[in-house]
Amino acid sequence: IISENAPLYFSENASRLFFGTAPEPKQKDTTLLAENRPDVQVWSWDEKVQYTQQSFNKATDLKRSYTAIYNLGSGRLLQLATEELPTLQTADEGNAIWALLSTTRPYGTQSMWTARQFHDIYMINLETGERRQIKEKSPSYMRFSPKGKYTYWYQDQDSSWYTRSMADGKEYRLTTPQTFAAWDEDNDVPDYPSPYGIAGWTDDDQSILIKDRYDIWKFDPIAASSPVNLTVNGRKEQITYSLIQLDREKRAYNTSEAQYLTGFNERTKGSGYYTTRLNKPVAPKALLAGNFKLAALAKAKDANVVIYTQETYEQYPDIQLSNLSFKKSIRLTDGIRQQDSIIWGTAELTSWISLDGRPLEGVIYKPADFDPNKKYPVIVNFYERNANTLYSYHMPSPGRSTIDYPFYLSHGFIIFNPDVRFTDGYPGESCYNCVMPGITSLIAKGYVNEKAIGAQGHSWGGYQVAYLATRTRLFAAIESGAPVVNMLSAYGGIRWGSGLNRSMQYEHGQSRIGGNIWEMPLQYIENSPLFNMDKVTTPILIMHNDADGHVPWYQGIEYFIALKRLQKPAWLLNYTGEPHWPMRLANRIDFQKRMFQFFNHYLQNAPMPKWMNEGVPAVDQDFELGY
């Protein structure tokens, strides 16, 4: 049947009409009473898609459709996508004769632990329906150039970019690891590094623009000529350039026209707008650049004017209006006025050396009335790497998972946000090696109360602060949100927010073990705070909700029960029915209140609130908050 759930659209030249079809919906057997029908799920070891994913995607799958086409010129109707080949990709906004069909279904089982998809890819003729396979079990997904003359892809296994000519089927390798650093140079997970990506194509598919860490390079799509570094000075100046497509209807860049870029300076953490032409190598000209953060430009459709925002930690991102020279900007909003009644603060970059010899950076946030002769309590708040956010504005709000920076600064705290760089197999030790000398360097500045240092993190950050609590007595208090404390039990769990199993993130992802529990059991134990909980001396506040679809709620329970069994001071906040973090505004405000009271007691000697001192029994929950 024609599906009511699929979009109906024309190719850009109006010669083709695309629509969706679907199998006729199944009908329930109404002769069987509901009480006589068993309510059972059947999970099978060789299912291509794990049952939990099927269950999570059930509503979407029931509405799934498969693209068909009606050619207005010939009057011919063709079914393009099918259940076996469900994914269709067209080129040149539906004008091109050839399209791509692909599927990942034959390889679904192994993707559960490899954390990567393989693809069977076919070409299909939109006029005749002719179909031919061009890739089997490809580790990469192909994409079309704007006009559809080529497909292109990045292959993780050899860190190289490739193209394929649609005219003759020839493939070209554009880069090799020896000739072009296309991969993420900062990759620190046990998997192939991702690419920096492409910046786009030039008109009529003449050139493909590929990014390295800093610069934009022009490549011939058939590798007939040498690549050209168009931005020249990015790596030398440590500026990462990115092209901006101001005209949202354009799909490619004209080499004879002025183009606009953003640039991020790795040294200063500042950013800028630049202009250049893509017909020759030249250092982009700075139009507006400095020690601040700039947002993406939005251009008026029929005039050469743009709006943008410029911010620092102290400067609100008011909307600015300018022409494309940026010589004069007009501020259109006045949001900074809301800071008038708040003791704001400052942000400054700091650096140190990790215990294993790596240079690191972080950000120190100080109250606006900072006095270097005073001793301040400190909250260490971190996730992975955040030094690049030095100039980000922090909007005061009851956050769902982290401390409210302006609130804590206005109450006399210093906040330290250190970067962490990881070594495969030892995420906990890596955190310790990076964060602890960072704190030591902060103490050495002379304005820190060494007896009043707390730590706070959520999810991956929650895991790290839980690990640190087993390795040091430095912290006076720690809030650990939705942490994994037992990697052995978490490895076999499900991410209920997607239905995916968790093993892949330990073998190849953020958890960074680099193998399964049978290959590396000691690493799973060594990196799990649970097995060293007897060494904890720090009071712990845990926030973990019973509907968490990211980290199993039972991780928080294992954490709390271990501390309770060992008679360590610990509290668990469960916002019932909430996911990985509280979403309801009332719950977010409550979380922020309790977390502040917790830190204020242990770091600023404020009285212990009733909920910490006496608890809130279940029978009193509807009547007493215990603030």
Side-chain angles (χ1 to χ4, degrees):
I1 63 169
I2 294 176
S3 174
E4 65 183 40
N5 299 305
L8 190 72
Y9 60 96
F10 286 98
S11 59
E12 189 270 339
N13 61 16
S15 67
R16 302 183 180 113
L17 176 65
F18 295 86
F19 60 98
T21 66
E24 189 172 355
K26 295 178 181 179
Q27 302 297 321
K28 283 187 176 181
D29 182 359
T30 57
T31 65
L32 186 64
L33 294 176
E35 58 262 32
N36 293 333
R37 184 176 181 85
D39 190 6
V40 60
Q41 298 176 349
V42 180
W43 297 18
S44 180
W45 70 278
D46 58 353
E47 288 173 311
K48 299 300 183 187
V49 179
Q50 185 165 283
Y51 193 92
T52 49
Q53 289 175 258
Q54 296 177 39
S55 182
F56 180 80
N57 294 324
K58 182 178 178 180
T60 301
D61 287 341
L62 288 172
K63 295 182 178 181
R64 188 174 299 281
S65 61
Y66 303 94
T67 305
I69 189 174
Y70 179 71
N71 287 290
L72 277 70
S74 65
R76 189 170 185 182
L77 187 149
L78 299 169
Q79 182 66 50
L80 304 176
T82 64
E83 189 173 359
E84 291 73 31
L85 291 168
T87 304
L88 177 76
Q89 182 188 167
T90 60
D92 195 16
E93 301 185 69
N95 297 340
I97 291 178
W98 291 98
L100 294 180
L101 281 170
S102 63
T103 183
T104 61
R105 293 187 180 188
Y107 316 107
T109 301
Q110 65 199 78
S111 70
M112 291 171 55
W113 53 84
T114 60
R116 62 181 59 252
Q117 298 280 6
F118 291 93
H119 309 264
D120 289 342
I121 304 174
Y122 294 74
M123 291 171 55
I124 186 167
N125 189 302
L126 299 186
E127 298 289 343
T128 67
E130 174 194 355
R131 192 172 77 186
R132 65 179 83 142
Q133 186 169 11
I134 57 175
K135 291 287 182 183
E136 182 178 7
K137 201 177 181 180
S138 169
S140 307
Y141 181 64
M142 286 182 167
R143 289 177 172 80
F144 274 117
S145 58
K147 286 296 181 182
K149 294 180 180 180
Y150 305 95
T151 59
Y152 65 95
W153 65 96
Y154 181 80
Q155 191 157 289
D156 291 333
Q157 288 83 344
D158 61 11
S159 301
S160 301
W161 284 99
Y162 292 83
T163 58
R164 185 182 192 275
S165 169
M166 294 299 291
D168 57 19
K170 290 183 178 179
E171 293 187 2
Y172 303 91
R173 186 175 184 178
L174 304 187
T175 72
T176 68
Q178 293 74 31
T179 61
F180 188 78
W183 63 91
D184 180 2
E185 297 175 21
D186 274 340
N187 178 65
D188 63 358
V189 297
D191 202 359
Y192 298 113
S194 300
Y196 289 105
I198 73 159
W201 287 74
T202 61
D203 282 344
D204 203 33
D205 294 353
Q206 289 296 308
S207 305
I208 180 173
L209 306 174
I210 302 178
K211 299 164 66 174
D212 67 11
R213 181 170 180 172
Y214 302 103
D215 289 300
I216 298 171
W217 295 68
K218 181 174 72 173
F219 282 79
D220 184 333
I222 60 172
S225 59
S226 298
V228 177
N229 183 352
L230 294 175
T231 49
V232 180
N233 69 330
R235 187 167 291 272
K236 178 183 177 182
E237 302 293 336
Q238 290 187 286
I239 298 173
T240 299
Y241 290 114
S242 299
L243 275 167
I244 307 170
Q245 185 58 276
L246 292 178
D247 187 340
R248 283 174 282 182
E249 294 183 359
K250 287 188 176 181
R251 302 291 178 261
Y253 294 97
N254 187 320
T255 57
S256 63
E257 295 178 352
Q259 302 296 337
Y260 295 84
L261 309 92
T262 59
F264 175 78
N265 190 309
E266 274 193 5
R267 294 173 184 163
T268 67
K269 314 305 179 187
S271 57
Y273 296 135
Y274 298 80
T275 187
T276 192
R277 294 180 189 269
L278 303 177
N279 54 1
K280 61 181 180 180
V282 62
K285 177 186 176 183
L287 300 171
L288 175 66
N291 292 333
F292 41 71
K293 177 183 176 182
L294 294 169
L297 292 172
K299 180 183 174 298
K301 183 175 177 62
D302 298 318
N304 285 324
V305 294
V306 292
I307 55 173
Y308 67 97
T309 62
Q310 175 181 316
E311 67 185 84
T312 66
Y313 180 76
E314 299 173 65
Q315 178 185 345
Y316 181 88
D318 278 307
I319 297 173
Q320 310 274 345
L321 175 72
S322 175
N323 61 24
L324 289 171
S325 73
F326 293 94
K327 291 182 178 177
K328 181 179 180 182
S329 294
I330 301 172
R331 184 162 56 88
L332 303 181
T333 60
D334 198 21
I336 198 168
R337 289 281 299 277
Q338 66 185 350
Q339 290 179 209
D340 290 350
S341 61
I342 300 173
I343 302 173
W344 204 252
T346 61
E348 64 185 56
L349 197 65
T350 187
S351 61
W352 66 96
I353 303 297
S354 72
L355 295 180
D356 52 357
R358 288 186 284 189
L360 294 167
E361 294 179 309
V363 184
I364 303 171
Y365 298 86
K366 299 175 182 176
D369 55 359
F370 173 76
D371 180 352
N373 297 311
K374 286 179 59 178
K375 297 284 188 178
Y376 288 85
V378 174
I379 303 287
V380 183
N381 169 258
F382 63 98
Y383 190 76
E384 288 194 357
R385 278 174 263 167
N386 293 106
N388 286 355
T389 65
L390 170 66
Y391 294 115
S392 293
Y393 187 85
H394 287 247
M395 194 72 73
S397 66
R400 61 190 187 181
S401 62
T402 191
I403 58 172
D404 181 345
Y405 279 43
F407 183 83
Y408 277 78
L409 295 182
S410 69
H411 283 80
F413 287 85
I414 284 175
I415 299 170
F416 179 44
N417 189 200
D419 279 358
V420 181
R421 293 181 178 270
F422 296 92
T423 299
D424 291 356
Y426 301 95
E429 183 74 13
S430 298
C431 170
Y432 183 88
N433 288 342
C434 294
V435 173
M436 298 311 294
I439 297 173
T440 302
S441 71
L442 181 64
I443 293 172
K445 296 180 185 294
Y447 49 72
V448 169
N449 181 353
E450 298 177 40
K451 303 295 184 182
I453 300 175
Q456 193 271 328
H458 189 84
S459 194
W460 183 239
Y463 157 73
Q464 292 176 89
V465 295
Y467 178 89
L468 290 178
T470 69
R471 292 289 308 275
T472 178
R473 298 184 176 190
L474 175 70
F475 298 108
I478 285 177
E479 192 281 326
S480 174
V484 165
V485 294
N486 183 354
M487 290 190 173
L488 283 171
S489 61
Y491 174 86
I494 298 294
R495 294 180 67 95
W496 295 107
S498 63
L500 294 168
N501 68 297
R502 294 179 54 81
S503 59
M504 59 184 176
Q505 72 188 65
Y506 293 91
E507 297 184 40
H508 297 285
Q510 185 181 53
S511 299
R512 294 177 170 89
I513 299 298
N516 62 49
I517 57 175
W518 304 280
E519 296 169 327
M520 308 173 72
L522 294 181
Q523 274 90 342
Y524 279 84
I525 295 171
E526 180 181 331
N527 287 285
S528 296
L530 184 73
F531 300 103
N532 288 295
M533 211 65 75
D534 56 323
K535 299 179 177 65
V536 172
T537 60
T538 305
I540 306 289
L541 174 64
I542 307 162
M543 190 268 282
H544 210 152
N545 303 327
D546 54 14
D548 195 326
H550 292 65
V551 176
W553 182 43
Y554 269 79
Q555 290 293 312
I557 293 175
E558 287 189 51
Y559 196 4
F560 178 73
I561 293 300
L563 292 170
K564 186 171 184 176
R565 168 65 183 82
L566 295 165
Q567 287 295 282
K568 312 281 187 178
W571 296 263
L572 171 66
L573 303 178
N574 169 31
Y575 293 95
T576 55
E578 291 276 40
H580 194 47
W581 31 55
M583 298 296 291
R584 285 185 59 225
L585 182 59
N587 288 342
R588 287 159 57 177
I589 292 172
D590 181 86
F591 169 57
Q592 291 293 337
K593 280 185 178 181
R594 294 186 196 277
M595 180 165 57
F596 178 73
Q597 289 181 329
F598 172 76
F599 281 128
N600 207 28
H601 170 67
Y602 283 111
L603 305 187
Q604 301 234 62
N605 298 316
M608 181 179 280
K610 183 178 179 181
W611 66 269
M612 290 175 63
N613 190 33
E614 301 178 21
V616 182
V619 293
D620 294 337
Q621 180 183 340
D622 295 335
F623 314 101
E624 176 64 64
L625 293 173
Y627 292 149

